[in-house]
Every structure is written in C-alpha cells, then in structure tokens.
Amino acid sequence: MKRSKLLEWLSYPPDSGNAAALRRDGDALSRERFNGRALALGQIGVERHACPGKCRFCNFSGEFFRESSFEIPVEKLVSEAVEFSTSGGGLDALFLLTMHDFNPDVLLEKIVRIRKAIPENVKIVLNVGDGNKTFFAECRQAGVSGAYHVLRLREGIDTALSPEQRRYTVEAIREAGLDWYYCCEPIGSEHSNEELADAILFGNEFECFQHAAMARVNFPGSDLPEEISKLRLAQIVAAVSLASADNPRLGSIAVHEPDELGLLSGANSLYAEAGSNPRDTAGDTEFGRGKNVAQIKEMFKNTGWK
C-alpha cells in the first residue's frame, strides 16, 4: 500500500464527492472480503482507578480521575461474562479491559474462571497494559484467543507511556500466537493526515487480525481540541478498509464508537460495552455511552450486514 495514496484518501474534505466515493469503495470491499457478515463483540471493563499512563484523552488518567476506585468481584464478573456473551444472540468475542497497571496473576485467575463459564465458541480477548511474551503465552494456555494493543496517536506526547514498550508488547502478542487486534486511535481534529496514515500502516505492517478507527471522546474538563465528525470518522474507516486490502490476516474492521455510517464505509464489527470505560464517566458504561448487544445487532440489520 503506497503511503501517498492513503494520504490522498485522507485529504478529501469529508463532505466531498471524492470522500463519498471513498466510503462507497471501502464498504464494497469489506462486504466482499467478509462475505457480508458482521461480528458482534463485547467488552467488560473489570476495574478502574487513577492510571499512571496519564493519557490526556482518558477519563482514568491520574491527572483527571475523580471517581472512586473499583474492581468487579470475581463472582460477579463471571456472572456478567456469561450474561454478556449469551445475550442478544451471543458474541463472537468477549474482551476483558483492565487498567494499564494490571495484576497479571489476578487476571489469569479470572480468565480461567471465565473460560470455563462462557460458551466455547465465544473467544476471550484481552485489552490490557504492556506485557511480555511469557505472560501472553500463559494467557493463551488459559484460553485467550487474542489481545487488543495499540501504538496510539501521539504516544509518548499525549501519554506518559513509551512508544517502544507499546511496540514491544505488540510483538509479544504476535510471538505468543495470539490474534492481534489494532486500531487507529484516538482520532481528534488535531491529528494530521500524516499521523493517521502512519498509524493505519503500522497495523498492516504487522498484519493485525482486526483493524479499526476510533474517534476521541472529550470528557468533562478535557483541554483537547474538538472531536471529529461522524462523517470524518467514516472516511477514515473507508481508508482503513482500502489500505488493508493486502493484509493476509485481516479478519474484521471495527468502528468505535458503534456507528451506522461506519458500517456503510468499510466496518463490519461493533463493540457492546459494560463496566468501566475510559471514554465514559459513568461507573457502568452500559448505562452511559455503551451500547448493548441487541442495539449493535439492530445497527447491523439497518445497514444490511448479516
């Protein structure tokens, strides 16, 4: 994929005819690639506390966090995992979201309990902080299928985390034999087309299993520039779809947050969410920004995805 072509796609004004054609082409390619089939994914945020990552775009940042710390008791977590993974017709995968500074041993115990409790056909995927190959190999033995990990836009500038460590974790996930879920995120109006292109190409360079685009959500008190429009997000989703045409491992493309326009531009995956959420000040995002399984499946139906 030529970077110059990707930059051209990203440079179109979102309300232009060229951008409309881009969204059409991204949609057509994904419907052919994925045989018209969509994936319903779910994520449970299992804990929340002030995070040392200090990401300017995250509600859990140690500089902004004003809520009480909380961790879902393991019995309740297992119960919620069962309910979540079987509600609304079931999920393809259940993601477990932790804080950056998670406890690996405690998480492994939870994985074992959840794997025994939920249907075998529902994958377990992790969304955790940095880790090494040994840890991810242990997770695979415990029944984990994949892990979401991202070298975020302006990593090390808008975060206190190391870009090199983020890359190392991506390599560890792949070396452990797990599917690598990736995303160009969190996209705001301040990010240049060059930054977006580099982030999109990074996912394909290491052959991500899932690619995606996610818009940044400004929480109360944020000093970041304005959010991008849904039309701009859909344009970036289309660019992800077309730029990923030669990625041999690509199994799906997601749009965050769930959005029907994204489903008409190249995305075929949406996430239902419960528990803590770094984009939401609600204690349980299911009663805040998060969508449930029935809602995202209705969005698939409305946009012609099976």
Side-chain angles (χ1 to χ4, degrees):
M1 174 67 214
K2 290 187 177 180
R3 186 172 183 270
S4 58
K5 190 64 178 177
L6 179 54
L7 286 171
E8 177 188 333
W9 293 335
L10 294 169
S11 72
Y12 298 149
D15 59 351
S16 67
N18 282 338
L22 185 76
R23 297 194 302 272
R24 176 201 63 205
D25 292 346
D27 182 50
L29 178 59
S30 284
R31 289 180 191 270
E32 179 181 359
R33 173 194 282 148
F34 305 126
N35 297 315
R37 296 195 173 277
L39 295 180
L41 308 171
Q43 178 168 273
I44 299 177
V46 304
E47 59 186 356
R48 68 171 183 265
H49 57 251
C51 178
K54 298 182 180 179
C55 303
R56 294 178 65 203
F57 43 78
C58 178
N59 185 52
F60 298 149
S61 168
E63 296 184 349
F64 307 112
F65 188 75
R66 298 294 181 269
E67 305 165 36
S68 57
S69 299
F70 178 75
E71 181 175 351
I72 301 176
V74 65
E75 295 295 340
K76 183 178 180 181
L77 176 60
V78 172
S79 176
E80 289 191 4
V82 171
E83 180 180 358
F84 204 10
S85 60
T86 57
S87 65
L91 299 174
D92 176 77
L94 177 66
F95 287 61
L96 301 177
L97 168 68
T98 73
M99 304 301 295
H100 178 77
D101 52 341
F102 68 103
N103 185 314
D105 294 331
V106 172
L107 179 59
L108 277 167
E109 292 175 3
K110 294 175 180 177
I111 291 168
V112 171
R113 293 281 301 275
I114 291 171
R115 182 67 278 170
K116 290 179 179 178
I118 67 175
E120 292 184 6
N121 63 303
V122 179
K123 302 173 184 175
I124 294 178
V125 182
L126 303 182
N127 184 353
V128 300
D130 290 315
N132 57 36
K133 179 182 176 181
T134 300
F135 166 71
F136 288 113
E138 291 174 344
C139 290
R140 186 182 181 191
Q141 290 182 334
V144 171
S145 297
Y148 178 93
H149 207 72
V150 179
L151 178 64
R152 277 108 27 126
L153 293 165
R154 302 192 180 180
E155 193 80 75
I157 298 173
D158 286 343
T159 78
L161 303 177
S162 161
E164 290 73 23
Q165 185 62 47
R166 303 290 289 184
R167 291 189 187 94
Y168 172 83
T169 299
V170 168
E171 293 173 1
I173 290 168
R174 296 176 73 255
E175 289 173 2
L178 296 176
D179 294 328
W180 173 44
Y181 291 71
Y182 178 70
C183 183
C184 175
E185 60 112 325
I187 307 167
S189 58
E190 72 275 20
H191 297 120
S192 68
N193 292 331
E194 288 76 12
E195 289 175 287
L196 299 180
D198 288 343
I200 292 170
L201 293 174
F202 178 79
N204 290 326
E205 177 186 355
F206 289 93
E207 299 182 357
C208 59
F209 180 75
Q210 181 183 86
H211 214 316
M214 184 182 82
R216 188 190 67 240
V217 175
N218 287 352
F219 54 85
S222 171
D223 62 350
L224 289 168
E226 65 180 350
E227 300 172 8
I228 63 171
S229 68
K230 290 187 176 182
L231 200 60
R232 174 59 170 168
L233 178 60
Q235 176 185 357
I236 298 169
V237 168
V240 168
S241 174
L242 296 171
S244 303
D246 296 329
N247 181 346
R249 287 193 53 78
L250 190 72
S252 61
I253 295 174
V255 58
H256 305 294
E257 294 174 340
D259 177 62
E260 290 185 355
L261 188 54
L263 291 175
L264 294 171
S265 305
N268 76 320
S269 297
L270 298 178
Y271 285 73
E273 294 181 282
S276 59
N277 183 333
R279 303 185 311 281
D280 198 346
T281 56
D284 187 339
T285 194
E286 186 176 359
F287 304 102
R289 300 189 65 91
K291 296 288 191 297
N292 60 39
V293 178
Q295 288 173 316
I296 65 173
K297 289 199 170 185
E298 182 67 17
M299 296 173 78
F300 290 144
K301 179 181 178 182
N302 291 340
T303 52
W305 286 97
K306 303 172 189 174

